[in-house]
Amino acid sequence: MNNENNFKVPHIIGIKNMTEDYIQSILDEAFLIKRNPSKYTEELKGKILSLAFWEASTRTRLSFESAILRLGGRTLGFSSQVGTSIEKGESLSDTITMLAGYSDCIVLRHPRRGSAKLAARVADKYGVPVISGGSGSQEHPTQALLDIFTIQEFHHRLSGLNVGIVGDLRYSRTISSLLFALSKFGRNTIYYLSHPSLKLQEELEYDLNSVDLELTKAESLSDMIGDLDVLYVTRLQKERFPDPMLYNKVKGSYQIQKDILKAAKSDLIILHPLPRVDEIPYSVDSLPQAKYFEQAKNGVYTRMALLKKVMKFNLNK
Amino acid sequence: MKEKNSNDKQLIVKKINNGIVIDHIASGGSFYVLKALNIDENFPHSVFVAMNVPSKKLGRKDVLKIRNLRKDDLNLDVLGLLISGSNLVCIENYLVVHKEKIKTPKKAYGIIKCPGLSCITNLRENVKTEFDIIESNGKKEDIKLRCVYCDKMFDIHKHISLIV
Ligand SMILES: [Zn+2]
């Protein structure tokens, strides 16, 4: 289970402390839901989910909203700091305490690392589960769940895979969570392609040292493409580079050109957490390997499974 | 130095009537303790520092004596992170009233601000910092703190100014 702090109720703070079994149980549930979503329309009837987004989000927030609506529940919340009591200086702890009184579960996204854990510690006192929708550059657990759900859907396994990761290893919470997730299932090899100034955080490197995951640096896309089962592409953010000139100079080497994909295996799948800018050109969308929109759709099923699991626990109490 | 015959032994055993003595500090450690205790020219009591004196056990060691300080004035967790393995002796009226070996704590609560720039604990929250202690390679001198909130790993010796 995911219970490092003797919490009273389950919280989804990160993938790091989840067990393989717990993750697999969410994926299994999500597969059932995807097969027959209409069966679950009364599942969380009468329940309220708080969506507390201190940081802008489109996909994560909307897919959580879609998920709870499809389960028969409702939402309340805010999607930016503007016009809320937070703008007036209210702390995270106080906001979470308030939301714990208004709802049955809280999804939060916050720009600070550690925000999900603090929220969980606060809300746990009231028996209200917290789900992280992204905590700074630390983790984005529900993104990783939908990522590996998609991988399992197409490859029917989550071990023994060669996964290429392109982009920002340093500030991408999505990649942190994905690496933790892949490390749980064993015998996966990661080929990463990233600019040296965006290499893995020291802390993440430390954590990955003690798990069953092989990390290999790739020199170029064409260098690794032929070996890959999954190609995971993330957005390079200009502002992460020490100098915009450097960004303009290197960004081309992280772009997925159609030509390069000719050398790929036929069952390669290309994933991207979206939104993309120009790291995957539109011309790639029509290729059979392009699965990023399917991946985004899976966000609803995996979040339905997660909400059901976490909020049902609450109901049973 | 000039005084070849300066008697290290005499320096170390110079007795204090009231206060604390920390002996067997690994060389260089006294410096961190002084900083952590905020001891500077404005400190009201006498402080005796012996650095790099010969020691059978350690080769070289530091010894620290601070007058009129009591055990309650010290945060043993902080000392445990800085100079684990040293011996603390408390003296009242020339008598030893307390003696203990300084040990690395299992966790550190609220003793230092998190150096993680994007850590939630650095944002006006009513929350005590909390750190796990990690002994890299099982070596005491390589102790690192790890924030349970933001995961930041760091060497406390490099962040003495953040001790609260
Ligand atoms: Zn921290």
Side-chain angles (χ1 to χ4, degrees):
Chain A
M1 250 294 287
N2 180 30
N3 215 345
E4 42 169 330
N5 290 290
N6 303 316
F7 283 131
K8 286 192 284 187
V9 297
H11 303 282
I12 306 298
I13 299 167
I15 301 287
K16 187 170 92 178
N17 293 308
M18 273 189 207
T19 62
E20 180 189 341
D21 287 349
Y22 192 78
I23 296 172
Q24 191 60 58
S25 70
I26 296 164
L27 301 186
D28 292 347
E29 183 78 51
F31 275 107
L32 292 176
I33 294 172
K34 186 171 184 178
R35 206 180 294 157
N36 191 1
S38 57
K39 226 180 97 183
Y40 299 85
T41 51
E42 305 269 293
E43 203 66 48
L44 292 176
K45 204 174 170 200
K47 293 289 145 185
I48 298 175
L49 177 68
S50 282
L51 298 173
F53 281 70
W54 276 263
E55 201 179 67
S57 157
T58 310
R59 233 157 304 269
T60 303
R61 188 171 53 81
L62 291 180
S63 69
F64 264 114
E65 191 154 356
S66 170
I68 188 76
L69 293 174
R70 283 174 187 274
L71 291 167
R74 291 156 171 261
T75 66
L76 57 80
F78 52 90
S79 52
S80 80
Q81 306 186 10
V82 184
T84 65
S85 54
I86 296 146
E87 207 182 23
K88 296 172 195 145
E90 185 169 54
S91 68
L92 171 74
S93 314
D94 286 359
T95 306
I96 293 295
T97 303
M98 172 193 79
L99 292 175
Y102 294 173
S103 59
D104 305 292
C105 179
I106 300 165
V107 174
L108 87 152
R109 169 173 290 187
H110 193 282
R112 291 282 178 143
R113 295 174 67 101
S115 48
K117 183 147 195 177
L118 177 59
R121 286 184 165 186
V122 172
D124 196 69
K125 289 182 245 164
Y126 306 95
V128 174
V130 162
I131 299 175
S132 170
S135 52
S137 57
Q138 197 170 23
E139 276 225 43
H140 190 354
T142 62
Q143 177 70 45
L145 291 173
L146 75 93
D147 293 343
I148 60 171
F149 177 88
T150 309
I151 295 173
Q152 182 163 306
E153 186 174 37
F154 289 103
H155 283 299
H156 308 289
R157 66 182 201 279
L158 286 171
S159 63
L161 294 164
N162 291 331
V163 180
I165 295 185
V166 179
D168 182 348
L169 300 180
R170 189 164 192 83
Y171 299 100
S172 169
R173 53 189 168 210
T174 296
I175 291 179
S176 306
S177 290
L178 179 63
L179 291 175
F180 283 130
L182 289 170
S183 75
K184 308 282 175 180
F185 294 87
R187 297 188 302 105
N188 290 311
T189 304
I190 307 296
Y191 296 88
Y192 61 91
L193 181 63
S194 181
H195 192 265
S197 64
L198 299 174
K199 66 178 171 55
L200 282 183
Q201 302 151 19
E202 185 200 345
E203 287 76 17
L204 187 56
E205 214 167 338
Y206 174 86
D207 290 329
L208 294 175
N209 256 332
S210 53
V211 297
D212 182 10
L213 188 72
E214 208 182 304
L215 286 166
T216 309
K217 187 179 182 315
E219 293 307 323
S220 67
L221 258 174
S222 49
D223 187 35
M224 62 177 179
I225 193 75
D227 294 323
L228 300 181
D229 302 302
V230 179
L231 175 59
Y232 196 97
V233 187
T234 60
R235 195 157 46 100
L236 277 189
Q237 285 167 287
K238 205 178 195 166
E239 61 272 21
R240 299 294 191 200
F241 281 85
D243 153 20
M245 294 274 284
L246 180 66
Y247 166 79
N248 288 325
K249 207 176 126 201
V250 303
K251 71 170 183 183
S253 44
Y254 305 107
Q255 261 163 4
I256 313 303
Q257 298 301 340
K258 222 172 164 178
D259 292 356
I260 294 173
L261 295 171
K262 283 181 189 150
K265 291 190 198 174
S266 60
D267 63 349
L268 168 79
I269 58 171
I270 304 169
L271 303 180
H272 191 303
L274 305 179
R276 66 169 152 180
V277 187
D278 49 9
E279 55 282 349
I280 302 181
Y282 295 123
S283 61
V284 173
D285 296 0
S286 56
L287 295 180
Q289 290 105 329
K291 301 295 186 205
Y292 25 92
F293 291 112
E294 189 65 23
Q295 175 193 6
K297 197 171 122 193
N298 285 336
V300 175
Y301 306 119
T302 45
R303 289 181 175 116
M304 282 172 80
L306 191 64
L307 289 174
K308 181 170 176 282
K309 201 170 173 72
V310 167
M311 293 175 79
K312 276 279 181 166
F313 177 91
N314 209 23
L315 287 176
N316 295 338
K317 275 184 60 165
Chain B
M1 297 288 205
K2 195 166 62 177
E3 271 184 87
K4 267 193 179 158
N5 296 327
S6 87
N7 192 334
D8 282 339
K9 187 129 193 163
Q10 203 172 26
L11 181 69
I12 300 160
V13 294
K14 180 177 168 54
K15 287 196 171 147
I16 56 174
N17 52 352
N18 283 297
I20 58 152
V21 177
I22 308 175
D23 199 354
H24 292 104
I25 304 172
S27 243
S30 57
F31 170 76
Y32 297 113
V33 178
L34 294 176
K35 274 180 109 175
L37 293 174
N38 261 322
I39 293 176
D40 57 16
E41 67 274 22
N42 300 316
F43 190 72
H45 312 299
S46 310
V47 178
F48 306 93
V49 187
M51 288 175 93
N52 281 327
V53 297
S55 151
K56 270 191 201 132
K57 222 170 85 187
L58 300 169
R60 293 271 171 175
K61 67 171 182 181
D62 292 0
V63 184
L64 205 54
K65 297 183 182 193
I66 308 169
R67 284 186 65 188
N68 300 328
L69 228 54
R70 306 164 69 106
K71 193 186 160 203
D72 294 348
D73 300 319
L74 303 170
N75 186 325
L76 291 179
D77 283 350
V78 171
L79 294 184
L81 291 167
L82 294 172
I83 52 161
S84 169
S86 313
N87 291 321
L88 170 70
V89 177
C90 303
I91 293 164
E92 282 174 25
N93 296 320
Y94 294 105
L95 292 172
V96 172
V97 293
H98 179 79
K99 219 173 172 175
E100 75 176 274
K101 201 175 188 88
I102 293 171
K103 289 197 207 97
T104 310
K106 293 210 161 46
K107 274 219 170 204
Y109 294 97
I111 61 167
I112 181 168
K113 278 174 63 176
C114 180
L117 289 178
S118 79
C119 183
I120 188 72
T121 63
N122 288 322
L123 202 68
R124 259 186 351 86
E125 294 288 335
N126 178 26
V127 57
K128 221 182 195 179
T129 58
E130 181 180 333
F131 303 92
D132 289 326
I133 312 297
I134 297 169
E135 290 184 33
S136 352
N137 324 312
K139 275 194 265 169
K140 262 197 202 127
E141 55 270 35
D142 289 340
I143 286 174
K144 288 214 168 157
L145 272 66
R146 183 169 192 166
C147 176
V148 305
Y149 290 99
C150 76
D151 289 321
K152 180 78 183 170
M153 276 169 81
F154 61 98
D155 180 351
I156 191 171
H157 296 87
K158 294 187 179 130
H159 296 278
I160 301 280
S161 61
L162 295 179
I163 291 176
V164 289

